[in-house]
Amino acid sequence: MDVNLRRLRSFVTVAEELHFTRAAARLFVAQQSLSKQIAQLEADLGTPLLQRTSRTVQLTPAGEAFLAATREALACFDQGVAEARRIGQGGQATLRVGFIVGAALELTTLILSEFTSRNPGARVELHEFGFTDPSAGLASATTDVAFIRLPSSTNGFVTTPLFTERCVVGVSTAHPLSDRERVSVQDLLDETLAIGRTDDTVWRDFWTLANQRGRSTQRLVETHSQSEEVEVVAAGMACNITPAAAQRYSPHPGVRFIPIDDYPGSVVAVAHRSNPLNPLVIAFAAAAKAVRDREPQILQMIQNAPVTRGLEP
């Protein structure tokens, strides 16, 4: 199927405005011309993208799916154009690296150093993302490569696992479980759990225990950041399922961390789209694998780090 970029951009504009007159004004084209572009696009796809009445314009389910794919495709194309121009004009090639809280823990600096030593002409841009986007910018094409945690939605991504980290539960020092040395999933099924706001259901189900024993945790407290989640736990408003590294990276005198004996660990991985436009992406993944393979002691420390009672208040 040969779809030109003008039609794709026209469709995105109509989808954003849900109004042909306003969309045509934004695009500086006649409304009739815009309508023909959308009709031709629908004909090429063989399915309606928009539901039109005399008063409203709405996306069809097919239109919703196509909009997400179109935005990603245009973002990738625009990034490729910008990168090609920059390199062609003698500028540095840039790699946008996304990460969420903790990134690759103690391996992060080593991986970045390895990559820059192998690619001295490259410029690295680091972008931190909250729990609202577990893909760390990959899903929206804001980043080229990212440190992510699995399980999460990875459709269309290539992942390179670095290590698996045990999961713990964070509880308030006043919580009845705070004196326990270990807990099981069964001990936590009736607890209110804190979870970052996100549309990634795979991620959400894992960190709320919804994937265990066919039971969905209904009592949730949604948070906007890691620091907010820690304060919610310290105040006794909820518990949180979290990686063991939270004890090192997000300590709090009002929070105790307890190992969960029968819950799977979380995998930290380097991820990128299956057809990366930036050639530095493959080089970054290779650097990450090289560091992983030569640092068994650091991996052992991360994977087997003891979980203590936490900071004393």
Side-chain angles (χ1 to χ4, degrees):
M1 189 177 116
D2 185 15
V3 178
N4 63 50
L5 291 177
R6 177 177 295 179
R7 285 181 190 158
L8 294 181
R9 295 190 193 280
S10 295
F11 167 67
V12 171
T13 303
V14 173
E16 290 174 348
E17 294 290 345
L18 293 178
H19 194 283
F20 273 85
T21 301
R22 290 197 299 265
R26 274 180 57 182
L27 294 166
F28 300 100
V29 299
Q31 182 177 333
Q32 184 178 12
S33 174
L34 178 59
S35 296
K36 287 182 179 179
Q37 289 186 50
I38 300 302
Q40 185 59 59
L41 180 59
E42 291 175 320
D44 290 342
L45 288 169
T47 186
L49 300 174
L50 299 165
Q51 290 179 337
R52 309 164 179 81
T53 70
S54 59
R55 295 186 177 181
T56 64
V57 176
Q58 297 293 331
L59 286 166
T60 64
E64 293 277 5
F66 190 64
L67 176 61
T70 300
R71 280 174 167 159
E72 181 175 350
L74 290 174
C76 287
F77 177 80
D78 291 341
Q79 170 64 19
V81 170
E83 197 66 21
R85 285 174 174 167
R86 179 164 40 245
I87 295 172
Q89 294 169 2
Q92 289 179 301
T94 300
L95 182 70
R96 303 169 301 168
V97 180
F99 64 98
I100 57 175
V101 174
L105 305 181
E106 285 79 4
L107 290 183
T108 307
T109 301
L110 296 175
I111 291 171
L112 292 172
S113 296
E114 180 73 14
F115 172 75
T116 54
S117 67
R118 292 183 176 198
N119 302 273
R123 183 168 68 93
V124 175
E125 291 182 356
L126 296 177
H127 299 265
E128 183 175 10
F129 291 81
F131 294 153
T132 54
D133 183 8
S135 78
L138 289 180
S140 61
T142 306
T143 57
D144 303 305
V145 65
F147 294 111
I148 66 171
R149 277 193 178 271
L150 305 174
S152 64
S153 296
T154 56
N155 292 338
F157 297 164
V158 175
T159 59
T160 302
L162 300 178
F163 54 82
T164 301
E165 187 182 11
R166 77 171 80 179
C167 290
V168 301
V169 60
V171 301
S172 157
T173 54
H175 194 282
L177 293 175
S178 64
D179 290 331
R180 296 275 294 272
E181 294 296 326
R182 353 189 49 82
V183 295
S184 67
V185 169
Q186 187 64 42
D187 295 324
L188 304 173
L189 288 179
D190 292 324
E191 297 292 336
T192 300
L193 297 178
I195 179 69
R197 294 176 182 270
T198 179
D199 293 328
D200 189 328
T201 56
V202 177
W203 168 281
R204 187 182 180 89
D205 286 352
F206 181 80
W207 297 108
T208 60
L209 305 179
N211 56 352
Q212 291 294 298
R213 303 178 188 179
R215 177 168 179 160
S216 177
T217 301
Q218 298 298 322
R219 294 188 298 168
L220 302 176
V221 175
E222 293 190 325
T223 60
H224 299 84
S225 67
Q226 170 72 3
S227 58
E228 182 180 322
E229 186 169 301
V230 170
E231 293 300 336
V232 164
V233 173
M237 299 167 59
C239 306
N240 70 329
I241 312 301
T242 187
Q247 183 174 267
R248 306 195 301 279
Y249 284 78
S250 304
H252 191 291
V255 176
R256 297 283 183 261
F257 297 100
I258 309 168
I260 307 172
D261 280 338
D262 55 348
Y263 202 58
S266 172
V267 176
V268 170
V270 169
H272 58 82
R273 287 177 292 278
S274 57
N275 295 302
L277 295 178
N278 191 333
L280 293 175
V281 168
I282 303 303
F284 189 87
K289 286 190 285 188
V291 171
R292 176 198 65 189
D293 294 342
R294 76 162 185 248
E295 300 292 347
Q297 290 183 328
I298 295 179
L299 288 180
Q300 184 175 11
M301 183 277 293
I302 291 173
Q303 297 179 136
N304 301 310
V307 180
T308 61
R309 287 176 55 80
L311 295 177
E312 292 301 323

